Amino acid sequence: MSLPFAVSSKSLIKKHLSQDTYKRLETLVTASGFTLEKAIQSGIANPDSSIGIYLGDAESYELFSDVLTPVIEDYHGVAKPQIHQADFSPVKLSDPDPEKKYILSTRVRVARNIENYNFTCHLSLQERKCLEQDVIEALQVLPAGLAGTYHSFEGEVDKSLLFKKGDRFQEAAGINSDFPKGRGIFYSEDTRFRIWLGEEDHLRLISQESSTDLANVYNHLGQALIFLEKHLKFIKDNRYGYLTTCPTNLGTSMRAGVHIRLRNLAENRILLREIVDRHQLQLRGTGGENTEVEDCVFDISNKRRLGLSEKAIITGLYSGLLAIIDAEKTLVNNGEVYV
């Protein structure tokens, strides 16, 4: 039997799934009924997928480890991770953009999945409903400064509050099943803290401000997690940290980033790319992955999530932003940089 991938596919799952491994794993089933066939369905349906695999439950990581381990090591650039070192302790950082000339907004988000539930691509509607109720109850513990309102997508809700239905990659994986049922969004009263329920993972917890205060945005999210973890038990693994539907988010599952306007570096993308790569950051378009840069506004965030702590990620992003802003300031029209 040949592997079920298109010839044009360059996904990591195709790269690492040998014929022998496929034959060995294709009959295995987790306790919840998840199979390798389901895991790779998105990669089969979308030959342009870069990863090509979504997981249906925590057990999948162990059961399909023969192919998952090389995929994870390849993507994250971490050879044989042993113990994930978590550290979401508060940080003190000076303002990376004290002149308020470059950074337009700052955002830190993490993904979380809750114990005793399958992941989003393998949830029944009944499970989605139960999960939603558990989350709603947990939100009641949030103190002033974090407390707010949960908006179910099944009721009357401002359309501007909705997160979009998943893309074709998530559609093929089953993440969009029963949409918008069992989904919703929580906003704190000041809108600085929000939670997406039922997107790619059970929860996307987001701290965001139209400011340059990277430390404050990060610390605000850390405070929210302290309260929520008293009432929700998140799925963690000693080796891979927080387990997620897509293995790209393993480890801290944290993306910390800014929208930043770089008029000079927009004309010197090679230099910008060099700085971003040196600091292990990710450069994306204004609207995120696979989008164009509009009005010289870039989305810049951490690239690594596994093999380092949350605190290391935020301080690494901070160092990278200082270097980027310094280059933007010193770049002259002919592309040279003052030294």
Side-chain angles (χ1 to χ4, degrees), residues 21 44 61 76 80 157 177 209:
T21 303
I44 295 171
Y61 276 95
H76 290 277
K80 301 187 184 308
V157 58
S177 63
E209 294 180 11

Side-chain angles (χ1 to χ4, degrees), residues 34 50 63 71 103 106 112 164 184 206 253 277 291 294 301:
F34 197 71
S50 59
L63 196 63
V71 167
I103 296 175
T106 305
R112 293 289 187 268
K164 295 179 180 179
I206 304 162
S253 75
D277 289 346
T291 64
E294 301 174 9
S301 60

Side-chain angles (χ1 to χ4, degrees), residues 278-296:
R278 187 187 319 140
H279 289 271
Q280 297 184 315
L281 302 178
Q282 187 173 34
L283 186 66
R284 304 193 300 174
T286 308
E289 193 170 8
N290 300 320
T291 64
E292 298 297 320
V293 175
E294 301 174 9
D295 194 23
C296 302

Side-chain angles (χ1 to χ4, degrees), residues 269-282:
R269 302 289 181 94
I270 294 176
L271 175 59
L272 178 57
R273 176 65 65 181
E274 287 175 355
I275 300 171
V276 165
D277 289 346
R278 187 187 319 140
H279 289 271
Q280 297 184 315
L281 302 178
Q282 187 173 34

